[in-house]
Amino acid sequence: MSSPTTPTPEERQSVLRTLRSPKLLGIEILGGLVVALALIPEAIAFSIIAGVDPRVGLFSAFTMAVTIAFVGGRPAMISAATGAVALVIAPLVASHGVNYLVAAILLAGLFQILLAALGVAKLMRFIPRQVMVGFVNALAILVFIAQLPELMNVPWLVYPLLGLALLIVFGLPRITTRVPAPLVAIVVLTLITVFASLTVPTVGDKGELPSSLPELLFPQLPLTFETFKILAPYALAVACVGLLESLMTAKLVDDITDTRSNKTREAWGQGVANLVTGFFGGMGGCAMIGQTMINVKASGARTRISTFLAGVFLLVLVVVFGDVVALIPMVALVAVMVFVSWATFDWHSIRPSTLRRMPKSETAVMLITVAATVFSHNLAIGVGAGVLTAMVLFARRVAHFVTVTRTLDATGETAIYTVNGELFFASSNDLYTQFEYALDPARIVIDMHASHLWDVSTLAALEAISAKYAAAGKHVEITGLNEASAAMHQRMAGHLG
């Protein structure tokens, strides 16, 4: 039984408990502040990718974070404008303008709510663990790669500053965890560059920060079927990519915090957040792995308070303290993201001892997921490739588990075939070749008590076997079917063509 001073993982997620504890509340506040600082340059960068004003990305980050704090299913997870969504909608912005972007985000939100109602979150159970490991490792690599442009063609002073920042973010937690190391790194490097008048790239160099609050906006475009045909492909892509990233990130946070979250609520919560973001003229978004890891791993936050405050602090920082935020050196944020990349990567998965014990097929699934994600820069493609690979390898492995044993009865007038294993499309294809059609006597019994029929491919194989024997004037009797298999056989027999 936990002591009053040591809350369980579930209790740690309680907003009311956190509000009553100055220590826990302080962790949430500082976590939200660090995340807000990390969101600013990324939101601006994603705006540039999408081809919109930087204010669009910043306001999207604010509305997504604040809304999901209330409606999302995973406490402490950060949702904001993301690169995945920016890449999807960039061609639409280039060809049709911002009004179509806003309309696509609104439609994407509706799609996500519909998909949530249809139970899309339940599909997460079909994502194997090695795909999840590959997803995490690929994200860590992509987060690291995204920092490299900030370290190229820059003044030489950037590199010693980077070393100092990395020393802080990696070393300070060994001394104390009372304050987030990323926040200390950001403050220290900002003070050094300001008071020493060092000329290094800053947040202000990324683009103009907004000076006013976001306003409600309804897209001005014709409400016709032609408009829908233009919007639907982009909206559906945003909805699917957003849900995939969000649900995968939620599962990762579940594992880190040793708690469970409501994936269906998270799915429709993402839809609601995108609707709100769209009505404020935003570019939409989804869960962010990097900022979520800053919040959960680096800062230790666990509740919706940190998510809400990340959005609020972001708005306050860019609108009220924009001039101060603009002074933050980009190298400080790069160091924070490098730490996040290191902390996110599953180093255990690539240890030689792990690789020696792990089946080669499982390692292949992980590597294919990583490779597909990193080379495509698309998490949906990476996870899809990983799941497909896992399915193929699983079907191939299971197909070899079916055995057929032939015996003759005492009189030699009946051949008995005992089938053992799970029969589906992969394993049943070889079933047809396991019988001695020419050598068998006039009566054949196929004993299925140790097997199960899963699909019509198996029924078709059994019918083909019976037909081949019938053509030779021999009679086949199928026995031992369990209740489910017998019901399928009775319903479909003779109707497969």
Side-chain angles (χ1 to χ4, degrees):
M1 184 174 179
S2 298
S3 66
T5 57
T6 309
T8 65
E10 288 75 14
E11 291 172 340
R12 183 64 181 81
Q13 292 184 159
S14 169
V15 171
L16 292 178
R17 184 186 180 99
T18 301
L19 290 173
R20 291 195 296 264
S21 169
K23 178 182 177 181
L24 296 180
L25 183 59
I27 291 173
E28 300 296 313
I29 292 172
L30 291 175
L33 179 58
V34 176
V35 169
L37 292 170
L39 280 172
I40 293 171
E42 290 215 359
I44 296 173
F46 296 151
S47 299
I48 295 170
I49 291 173
V52 296
D53 190 284
R55 287 172 290 190
V56 174
L58 289 167
F59 287 153
S60 296
F62 160 68
T63 52
M64 285 290 298
V66 169
T67 304
I68 208 68
F70 292 96
V71 300
R74 174 62 260 176
M77 192 167 76
I78 305 298
S79 292
T82 59
V85 172
L87 288 170
V88 170
I89 52 90
L92 179 64
V93 176
S95 60
H96 290 84
V98 176
N99 273 306
Y100 277 81
L101 159 67
V102 173
I105 297 304
L106 291 172
L107 185 58
L110 292 175
F111 281 154
Q112 287 179 326
I113 293 173
L114 177 61
L115 289 170
L118 294 174
V120 69
K122 295 177 182 177
L123 297 177
M124 286 296 294
R125 73 182 68 177
F126 296 107
I127 297 181
R129 180 186 181 278
Q130 287 304 97
V131 173
M132 187 68 192
V133 172
F135 166 81
V136 170
N137 290 347
L139 282 174
I141 294 170
L142 288 177
V143 168
F144 179 79
I145 291 175
Q147 311 315 309
L148 297 181
E150 302 297 337
L151 301 175
M152 298 177 181
N153 301 317
V154 293
W156 68 270
L157 286 170
V158 167
Y159 303 110
L161 288 173
L162 175 64
L164 175 60
L166 290 175
L167 182 64
I168 294 172
V169 295
F170 281 96
L172 185 60
R174 299 177 181 272
I175 302 172
T176 179
T177 56
R178 294 184 67 87
V179 291
L183 179 60
V184 175
I186 292 170
V187 172
V188 169
L189 262 67
T190 302
L191 292 175
I192 290 175
T193 55
V194 170
F195 287 106
S197 300
L198 302 180
T199 303
V200 294
T202 63
V203 171
D205 297 332
K206 286 291 183 181
E208 183 183 356
L209 300 178
S211 58
S212 61
L213 298 175
E215 299 177 352
L216 281 172
L217 172 70
F218 192 82
Q220 302 298 313
L221 69 170
L223 300 177
T224 64
F225 183 68
E226 289 301 317
T227 301
F228 177 79
K229 285 201 303 183
I230 295 171
L231 296 175
Y234 295 98
L236 187 59
V238 168
C240 293
V241 169
L243 285 181
L244 180 61
E245 286 205 39
S246 299
L247 295 176
M248 293 285 280
T249 304
K251 190 174 186 300
L252 174 62
V253 178
D254 287 354
D255 294 339
I256 292 172
T257 60
D258 196 26
T259 57
R260 298 181 64 182
S261 60
N262 189 328
K263 305 299 188 300
T264 298
R265 177 177 174 180
E266 184 61 42
W268 68 255
Q270 289 289 329
V272 172
N274 273 308
L275 281 175
V276 173
T277 299
F279 279 121
F280 280 98
M283 57 182 278
C286 60
M288 301 187 74
I289 183 69
Q291 278 66 21
T292 297
M293 290 299 101
I294 290 175
N295 197 43
V296 175
K297 267 200 168 182
S299 302
R302 289 294 184 271
T303 76
R304 300 174 185 275
I305 297 173
S306 57
T307 305
F308 173 76
L309 290 178
V312 172
F313 283 148
L314 170 66
L315 188 66
V316 172
L317 287 170
V318 299
V319 174
V320 181
F321 300 104
D323 293 340
V324 176
V325 171
L327 298 175
I328 296 174
M330 282 301 301
V331 65
L333 299 175
V334 167
V336 172
M337 298 310 291
V338 169
F339 171 76
V340 167
S341 174
W342 177 86
T344 301
F345 196 91
D346 186 349
W347 296 101
H348 179 268
S349 67
I350 61 170
R351 287 178 184 170
S353 58
T354 303
L355 295 175
R356 281 195 301 269
R357 292 184 177 92
M358 189 71 66
K360 290 183 174 56
S361 60
E362 298 292 314
T363 301
V365 169
M366 186 266 286
L367 293 176
I368 287 172
T369 303
V370 171
T373 302
V374 171
F375 284 108
S376 69
H377 283 245
N378 189 315
L379 295 170
I381 292 176
V383 172
V387 171
L388 181 60
T389 302
M391 289 171 59
V392 171
L393 292 177
F394 174 76
R396 182 174 177 272
R397 188 163 61 247
V398 173
H400 297 297
F401 289 164
V402 174
T403 59
V404 179
T405 305
R406 178 182 183 268
T407 59
L408 294 175
D409 70 352
T411 64
E413 296 179 356
T414 302
I416 303 171
Y417 287 88
T418 303
V419 182
N420 191 313
E422 304 299 308
L423 291 167
F424 64 112
F425 64 89
S427 57
S428 60
N429 286 335
D430 293 332
L431 188 63
Y432 182 84
T433 63
Q434 302 295 311
F435 293 81
E436 302 286 351
Y437 299 100
L439 299 179
D440 282 337
R443 183 171 181 266
I444 296 92
V445 175
I446 302 178
D447 184 359
M448 308 288 290
H449 78 275
S451 63
H452 184 95
L453 311 185
W454 287 105
D455 57 18
V456 294
S457 295
T458 305
L459 293 177
L462 288 175
E463 288 200 0
I465 292 167
S466 299
K468 180 142 179 110
Y469 276 117
K474 300 176 182 180
H475 174 71
V476 174
E477 180 183 352
I478 298 174
T479 64
L481 289 172
N482 59 35
E483 185 176 348
S485 299
M488 182 189 295
H489 184 263
Q490 184 177 3
R491 186 174 64 253
M492 299 298 298
H495 298 284
L496 295 176

